[in-house]
Amino acid sequence: MPRIIPIRDLKDTSAISQMCSESSEPIYITKNGYGDMVIMSMKAYEEKLWLLDTYAKLAEAEAQLQAGKTVDARSALNELREKHGL
């Protein structure tokens, strides 16, 4: 369930940092009852970036397949492992 807090609660930076660390989801900040910002831990942010990169690569691979181009799966997997230090 998403966490939503008013902007005035940002004054307690230690509590906000702890909330971010405990959650794998972003925390939504409202101002005057409307969405204003989103914050998250560095770990959650890096995971989201990794997912976006993976989705982009999958979309590119799908486009290549539809265009009739094929790529050696083993070399593509090794490239991803090297890029992400796995």
Side-chain angles (χ1 to χ4, degrees), residues 27-40:
I27 297 171
Y28 299 90
I29 311 298
T30 60
K31 182 176 181 181
N32 298 324
Y34 295 97
D36 188 51
M37 293 184 270
V38 177
I39 58 173
M40 62 177 62

PDB file of all heavy atoms in Angstrom, residues 27-40:
ATOM      1  N   ILE A  27       7.556   6.921  -1.452  1.00  0.00           N
ATOM      2  CA  ILE A  27       6.675   7.637  -0.517  1.00  0.00           C
ATOM      3  C   ILE A  27       6.198   8.889  -1.244  1.00  0.00           C
ATOM      4  O   ILE A  27       7.005   9.652  -1.787  1.00  0.00           O
ATOM      5  CB  ILE A  27       7.422   7.999   0.776  1.00  0.00           C
ATOM      6  CG1 ILE A  27       7.858   6.715   1.478  1.00  0.00           C
ATOM      7  CG2 ILE A  27       6.550   8.855   1.679  1.00  0.00           C
ATOM      8  CD1 ILE A  27       8.784   6.933   2.646  1.00  0.00           C
ATOM      9  N   TYR A  28       4.908   9.080  -1.274  1.00  0.00           N
ATOM     10  CA  TYR A  28       4.311  10.203  -1.987  1.00  0.00           C
ATOM     11  C   TYR A  28       4.119  11.372  -1.026  1.00  0.00           C
ATOM     12  O   TYR A  28       3.599  11.203   0.067  1.00  0.00           O
ATOM     13  CB  TYR A  28       2.979   9.788  -2.608  1.00  0.00           C
ATOM     14  CG  TYR A  28       3.144   8.681  -3.612  1.00  0.00           C
ATOM     15  CD1 TYR A  28       3.080   7.345  -3.219  1.00  0.00           C
ATOM     16  CD2 TYR A  28       3.415   8.955  -4.935  1.00  0.00           C
ATOM     17  CE1 TYR A  28       3.258   6.316  -4.130  1.00  0.00           C
ATOM     18  CE2 TYR A  28       3.595   7.941  -5.863  1.00  0.00           C
ATOM     19  CZ  TYR A  28       3.520   6.630  -5.450  1.00  0.00           C
ATOM     20  OH  TYR A  28       3.705   5.615  -6.351  1.00  0.00           O
ATOM     21  N   ILE A  29       4.543  12.559  -1.460  1.00  0.00           N
ATOM     22  CA  ILE A  29       4.453  13.768  -0.658  1.00  0.00           C
ATOM     23  C   ILE A  29       3.368  14.667  -1.260  1.00  0.00           C
ATOM     24  O   ILE A  29       3.372  14.922  -2.469  1.00  0.00           O
ATOM     25  CB  ILE A  29       5.791  14.540  -0.649  1.00  0.00           C
ATOM     26  CG1 ILE A  29       6.973  13.617  -0.339  1.00  0.00           C
ATOM     27  CG2 ILE A  29       5.721  15.727   0.295  1.00  0.00           C
ATOM     28  CD1 ILE A  29       6.939  12.966   1.003  1.00  0.00           C
ATOM     29  N   THR A  30       2.463  15.127  -0.410  1.00  0.00           N
ATOM     30  CA  THR A  30       1.401  16.011  -0.890  1.00  0.00           C
ATOM     31  C   THR A  30       1.623  17.434  -0.386  1.00  0.00           C
ATOM     32  O   THR A  30       2.219  17.663   0.660  1.00  0.00           O
ATOM     33  CB  THR A  30       0.017  15.526  -0.421  1.00  0.00           C
ATOM     34  OG1 THR A  30      -0.014  15.514   1.014  1.00  0.00           O
ATOM     35  CG2 THR A  30      -0.295  14.140  -0.945  1.00  0.00           C
ATOM     36  N   LYS A  31       1.126  18.368  -1.163  1.00  0.00           N
ATOM     37  CA  LYS A  31       1.165  19.784  -0.792  1.00  0.00           C
ATOM     38  C   LYS A  31      -0.232  20.332  -1.053  1.00  0.00           C
ATOM     39  O   LYS A  31      -0.739  20.231  -2.181  1.00  0.00           O
ATOM     40  CB  LYS A  31       2.200  20.519  -1.639  1.00  0.00           C
ATOM     41  CG  LYS A  31       2.357  21.971  -1.294  1.00  0.00           C
ATOM     42  CD  LYS A  31       3.477  22.584  -2.133  1.00  0.00           C
ATOM     43  CE  LYS A  31       3.657  24.035  -1.782  1.00  0.00           C
ATOM     44  NZ  LYS A  31       4.713  24.645  -2.609  1.00  0.00           N
ATOM     45  N   ASN A  32      -0.848  20.854  -0.013  1.00  0.00           N
ATOM     46  CA  ASN A  32      -2.223  21.357  -0.107  1.00  0.00           C
ATOM     47  C   ASN A  32      -3.189  20.284  -0.627  1.00  0.00           C
ATOM     48  O   ASN A  32      -4.107  20.566  -1.392  1.00  0.00           O
ATOM     49  CB  ASN A  32      -2.296  22.608  -0.984  1.00  0.00           C
ATOM     50  CG  ASN A  32      -1.487  23.749  -0.412  1.00  0.00           C
ATOM     51  OD1 ASN A  32      -1.419  23.921   0.807  1.00  0.00           O
ATOM     52  ND2 ASN A  32      -0.860  24.517  -1.276  1.00  0.00           N
ATOM     53  N   GLY A  33      -2.924  19.038  -0.249  1.00  0.00           N
ATOM     54  CA  GLY A  33      -3.813  17.940  -0.611  1.00  0.00           C
ATOM     55  C   GLY A  33      -3.582  17.346  -1.988  1.00  0.00           C
ATOM     56  O   GLY A  33      -4.271  16.416  -2.391  1.00  0.00           O
ATOM     57  N   TYR A  34      -2.601  17.851  -2.723  1.00  0.00           N
ATOM     58  CA  TYR A  34      -2.317  17.347  -4.071  1.00  0.00           C
ATOM     59  C   TYR A  34      -0.914  16.753  -4.129  1.00  0.00           C
ATOM     60  O   TYR A  34      -0.016  17.203  -3.409  1.00  0.00           O
ATOM     61  CB  TYR A  34      -2.418  18.490  -5.100  1.00  0.00           C
ATOM     62  CG  TYR A  34      -3.810  19.050  -5.216  1.00  0.00           C
ATOM     63  CD1 TYR A  34      -4.179  20.196  -4.531  1.00  0.00           C
ATOM     64  CD2 TYR A  34      -4.764  18.413  -6.006  1.00  0.00           C
ATOM     65  CE1 TYR A  34      -5.459  20.712  -4.625  1.00  0.00           C
ATOM     66  CE2 TYR A  34      -6.046  18.919  -6.109  1.00  0.00           C
ATOM     67  CZ  TYR A  34      -6.394  20.067  -5.419  1.00  0.00           C
ATOM     68  OH  TYR A  34      -7.663  20.562  -5.512  1.00  0.00           O
ATOM     69  N   GLY A  35      -0.733  15.784  -4.986  1.00  0.00           N
ATOM     70  CA  GLY A  35       0.577  15.178  -5.150  1.00  0.00           C
ATOM     71  C   GLY A  35       1.605  16.211  -5.575  1.00  0.00           C
ATOM     72  O   GLY A  35       1.347  17.030  -6.451  1.00  0.00           O
ATOM     73  N   ASP A  36       2.787  16.170  -4.940  1.00  0.00           N
ATOM     74  CA  ASP A  36       3.822  17.155  -5.236  1.00  0.00           C
ATOM     75  C   ASP A  36       5.169  16.501  -5.531  1.00  0.00           C
ATOM     76  O   ASP A  36       5.850  16.895  -6.459  1.00  0.00           O
ATOM     77  CB  ASP A  36       3.966  18.131  -4.065  1.00  0.00           C
ATOM     78  CG  ASP A  36       4.874  19.291  -4.359  1.00  0.00           C
ATOM     79  OD1 ASP A  36       4.677  19.939  -5.408  1.00  0.00           O
ATOM     80  OD2 ASP A  36       5.786  19.550  -3.554  1.00  0.00           O
ATOM     81  N   MET A  37       5.540  15.490  -4.740  1.00  0.00           N
ATOM     82  CA  MET A  37       6.847  14.852  -4.886  1.00  0.00           C
ATOM     83  C   MET A  37       6.739  13.368  -4.565  1.00  0.00           C
ATOM     84  O   MET A  37       5.776  12.928  -3.958  1.00  0.00           O
ATOM     85  CB  MET A  37       7.861  15.458  -3.906  1.00  0.00           C
ATOM     86  CG  MET A  37       8.237  16.868  -4.146  1.00  0.00           C
ATOM     87  SD  MET A  37       9.519  17.372  -2.977  1.00  0.00           S
ATOM     88  CE  MET A  37       8.495  17.992  -1.654  1.00  0.00           C
ATOM     89  N   VAL A  38       7.801  12.668  -4.937  1.00  0.00           N
ATOM     90  CA  VAL A  38       7.952  11.259  -4.589  1.00  0.00           C
ATOM     91  C   VAL A  38       9.381  11.069  -4.113  1.00  0.00           C
ATOM     92  O   VAL A  38      10.318  11.563  -4.734  1.00  0.00           O
ATOM     93  CB  VAL A  38       7.682  10.350  -5.805  1.00  0.00           C
ATOM     94  CG1 VAL A  38       7.913   8.897  -5.460  1.00  0.00           C
ATOM     95  CG2 VAL A  38       6.277  10.571  -6.337  1.00  0.00           C
ATOM     96  N   ILE A  39       9.559  10.365  -2.999  1.00  0.00           N
ATOM     97  CA  ILE A  39      10.903  10.064  -2.508  1.00  0.00           C
ATOM     98  C   ILE A  39      11.023   8.563  -2.263  1.00  0.00           C
ATOM     99  O   ILE A  39      10.017   7.880  -2.034  1.00  0.00           O
ATOM    100  CB  ILE A  39      11.257  10.853  -1.226  1.00  0.00           C
ATOM    101  CG1 ILE A  39      10.264  10.562  -0.104  1.00  0.00           C
ATOM    102  CG2 ILE A  39      11.336  12.332  -1.506  1.00  0.00           C
ATOM    103  CD1 ILE A  39      10.658  11.181   1.224  1.00  0.00           C
ATOM    104  N   MET A  40      12.261   8.073  -2.338  1.00  0.00           N
ATOM    105  CA  MET A  40      12.502   6.651  -2.088  1.00  0.00           C
ATOM    106  C   MET A  40      13.958   6.462  -1.700  1.00  0.00           C
ATOM    107  O   MET A  40      14.776   7.361  -1.886  1.00  0.00           O
ATOM    108  CB  MET A  40      12.166   5.817  -3.326  1.00  0.00           C
ATOM    109  CG  MET A  40      12.994   6.137  -4.525  1.00  0.00           C
ATOM    110  SD  MET A  40      12.690   5.113  -5.985  1.00  0.00           S
ATOM    111  CE  MET A  40      11.023   5.447  -6.361  1.00  0.00           C
TER     112      MET A  40
END
